[in-house]
Amino acid sequence: MYKKKSKGLFAGKKGVVDDLFDMMFIVIVIFFGVFFMYFVFTSSAATKEEASIATVNSIENEQILLQLLQLKIINEGIEYTGAEFIIYSIHNDESELLHETFSELMTDWQLTGSLIFYKGSEQKIEDQFTIAYSYNDYQDYLWSDEAASIVLENPATSLKYLVEFYGESK
Amino acid sequence: MRLISNKKGTVFHYALLGLFASLGIAFLFFNQSVGLETFILGQWESNFAQHYTYEGEKVQLQEDINMDYYISLAINETALNGGYAQDSFEDIGCGQAFELSLMNSGEEFCFAQINQEISSQFASIVEQQSQDFKDGFEINVENNKLNFLSENGIKIIPGDASFDISEEEFACLEQGNVPFFSGEEYDQCKSCPDVDCSRYIDQFYCDLDPCKLGCVSFYTNLGGTNEYYSCGACPDEAECSNYINQYYCEVDVCSLGCKWNVNKCEDSETRINGEDIDAMNILDKAKIVSNPEIYTQNTQYTIDYSFSYDLGVYYEDYQQVAIEAMTLLGACQNTENLEECLEDERKDNWEYGSCGSDDLYQEDSRKVPFCVSSPNELQLTSLISNSHDLKYQFALDFFPTEALFVEATEVTYDSMLNAYKVYFTESESAIKYKIYITDYANLDYIGTASQFRIQRFGSELFENKEIDIIEIETDSCPIGDGHGEIGVAYDCAGEILYIYDAENLILGEDYYFAATSLNDDSESQIYGFVYI
């Protein structure tokens, strides 16, 4: 395709068009190649980053929720796990106690997010019992991410309560 | 000059050019839909963590709550049975009184090995109430620690598995009932009627089989695809090869003994997973029926569940109660006025009667029921109310180990009969009484009859008459004008009257009478004499 010898760029007429098109072809291929690579890597990297963050957030939310449910809580001299305390409080309609206890715990442990308690096993507004959140963070974290959730069952009554945790937006 | 004249091969350049251009444009406008973004490292792992690992953690968390509740229930029920599990309640060696277990009989004590009893009660509760350990579990008590271990672990159903039934239907199924439909709309919830499999409304209910009718879905093969046709009982001549896919093969509703071998269902000696699905709770079973691939997919996640609980404090508390009970028995068993003694000797944490009733003294043949609050003020937590004191409920038998005092209260002479009428108090524990007569004056004597026999100087008479309690006439006390019969004892409203023949006695002489009670081999002391 390339001439072995050339006295000057336009010294001979033969091959000039070939050379020109070869050069144009290379330029265009490089252009589209770069164009292609750019979109492949930039767009997918951004999407991947979003997906990774969502995944990490989701796992982190699960961890925080489990951590909160396993914390020891002492109420009136009796030791409960977080999960047991939720069941106890909802059963006895102690929404204020539940809100205060978990809000304080989340603030102390620097667990940022919102914890929503429902009196039933479904996410129904009318069943929403109370919300606990790290102080001053309520608006920022509520509904802003995918929730980690658990349905707790009171073995004494078989009643079920949904608990959701919405973590910090990243 | 034309562009491609005499330019052999140039066409390929343009073709490549066009190809790259089109690819670039395609990525430019449709890069979001190409799907490259789905290839994220760690995606499978994070999904696994979320749907299995964390789901497993949540299941363990709920099991911990259940176990705490069951152990609390077991401790409470055992304590209220006097330290015995309900299963062993009937076999307690010392028997029962007031429908409570007796903790002693004579000099034998029947206090329980409370740790073993709690463990037994706990096992019984888990068997009755938990669906997750139907495959079996082990419980043992070592060093006052109760250890629980599930045999086959808990199979984790993915947290995102869903099923397409309404909340009402599910609530109905959870209650052990079955929903009824009007057309295709949910109508009401009732217990399972006595019907056959054909009444199940669709494949979901046929496979779920909430009424446990042994139903199986039948399919037709139209145009090469299997379609649900009807619900029926297992055919008599079914074979493993009739199961249309891996799910039905492994669930093996018809109990044919099948296993899935790569792409076909074959006979097998043992069922592979059949027992699992039968034992599952309705939620898990509904998830599997709705998503059969969960059951047959390669990813299976099972957690080994174990639980440990320190019973040391309850063991020590029960020992303390046993010591208090023995102390109370020692103080009051051989006293005539049991109620007075118990009132003085019982501790503040000891109440009469069964727990929950009023603190009123009850007694039946010197057996007394008690409700004893934990000496160490142990409390049991509850998820439905405030914590409550641990209380033990049992009865103690204060039947004396020695004969109790009886006292001669009055003696009169009946000239009509020529007999002395001797009145004395009765004793619940007596199996015999003895009436003593002497001419030796020592009215205030308190001591044994044998000592009295030795010390009576100058006395010629010291005789006795033995009365068996079964010989006592209970409903013909000779009061008023009645005289009674010589040599007979009568029960006279809390006192015993014995008519002593005076034929051999000298009229006008002073005679002194006393009474004692006999209990097995022992005889009570003489508690003073009476005379006319």
Side-chain angles (χ1 to χ4, degrees), chain A residues 18 21 25 28 36 39 47-48 51 55 58 62-63 78 84 88 91-92 122 124 149 153 160, chain B residues 3 7 13-14 17 27-28 31 37 39-40 46 50 54 58 61-62 68 167 174 381 384 386-387:
Chain A
D18 276 357
F21 275 96
F25 173 74
I28 290 167
F36 168 76
F39 277 103
T47 317
K48 279 178 184 175
T55 306
S58 168
E62 295 278 1
Q63 278 176 332
I78 300 162
E84 286 172 336
Y88 168 81
H91 182 86
N92 293 293
E122 301 282 323
K124 288 182 175 174
S149 65
E153 182 178 345
K160 295 187 170 76
Chain B
L3 191 59
K7 299 287 183 287
H13 296 171
Y14 289 107
L17 190 70
F27 276 113
L28 179 63
N31 72 78
E37 70 274 18
F39 302 118
I40 300 169
S46 58
Q50 199 158 8
Y54 287 121
K58 288 173 189 173
L61 193 77
Q62 181 65 54
D68 258 341
E167 199 180 334
E174 262 203 318
T381 54
I384 54 173
N386 290 324
S387 60

Side-chain angles (χ1 to χ4, degrees), chain B residues 56-113:
Chain B
E57 292 285 320
K58 288 173 189 173
V59 168
Q60 288 203 61
L61 193 77
Q62 181 65 54
E63 287 303 342
D64 284 347
I65 294 169
N66 294 347
M67 289 294 161
D68 258 341
Y69 172 69
Y70 296 151
I71 198 89
S72 183
L73 214 56
I75 292 167
N76 192 40
E77 287 176 359
T78 306
L80 290 176
N81 277 333
Y84 285 91
Q86 299 222 325
D87 291 349
S88 47
F89 187 57
E90 300 293 327
D91 308 322
I92 299 167
C94 294
Q96 295 176 33
F98 296 95
E99 296 181 346
L100 302 174
S101 44
L102 268 168
M103 292 291 102
N104 72 309
S105 175
E107 291 183 354
E108 181 194 356
F109 289 102
C110 294
F111 289 101
Q113 289 293 321

Side-chain angles (χ1 to χ4, degrees), chain B residues 67-68 71-72 75 114-115 118-119 122 140-148 307-317 378-380 390:
Chain B
M67 289 294 161
D68 258 341
I71 198 89
S72 183
I75 292 167
I114 196 164
N115 287 353
I118 290 172
S119 154
F122 175 70
N140 62 57
V141 180
E142 273 179 21
N143 300 325
N144 288 333
K145 213 166 230 184
L146 182 147
N147 301 307
F148 174 94
F307 174 84
S308 189
Y309 196 93
D310 190 358
L311 295 174
V313 286
Y314 301 102
Y315 175 79
E316 284 166 17
D317 201 57
L378 295 182
Q379 295 200 315
L380 292 171
L390 175 63

Side-chain angles (χ1 to χ4, degrees), chain B residues 176-188:
Chain B
N177 294 326
V178 63
F180 280 68
F181 295 87
S182 172
E184 290 192 354
E185 292 295 312
Y186 172 84
D187 185 29
Q188 53 186 316

Side-chain angles (χ1 to χ4, degrees), chain B residues 125-141:
Chain B
I125 292 171
V126 172
E127 267 173 24
Q128 285 167 18
Q129 301 202 15
S130 178
Q131 297 288 326
D132 288 324
F133 306 110
K134 293 283 182 198
D135 286 347
F137 53 83
E138 280 178 26
I139 295 180
N140 62 57
V141 180

Side-chain angles (χ1 to χ4, degrees), chain A residues 3 9-10 12-24, chain B residues 1-5 7 10 14:
Chain A
K3 302 272 183 183
L9 191 57
F10 298 104
K13 288 182 182 176
K14 279 188 178 178
V16 170
V17 174
D18 276 357
D19 289 342
L20 185 65
F21 275 96
D22 283 351
M23 192 179 71
M24 281 175 64
Chain B
M1 185 181 70
R2 285 182 299 168
L3 191 59
I4 56 173
S5 63
K7 299 287 183 287
T10 308
Y14 289 107

Side-chain angles (χ1 to χ4, degrees), chain B residues 27 153 160 163 196 308 314 352 385 396 426 444 451 475 477 481 483 489 498 525:
Chain B
F27 276 113
D160 59 342
F163 43 85
D196 61 22
S308 189
Y314 301 102
Y352 298 123
S385 62
L396 292 176
E426 64 180 337
D444 298 328
Q451 282 174 337
D475 52 1
C477 175
D481 296 334
H483 293 282
Y498 180 72
Q525 293 184 332

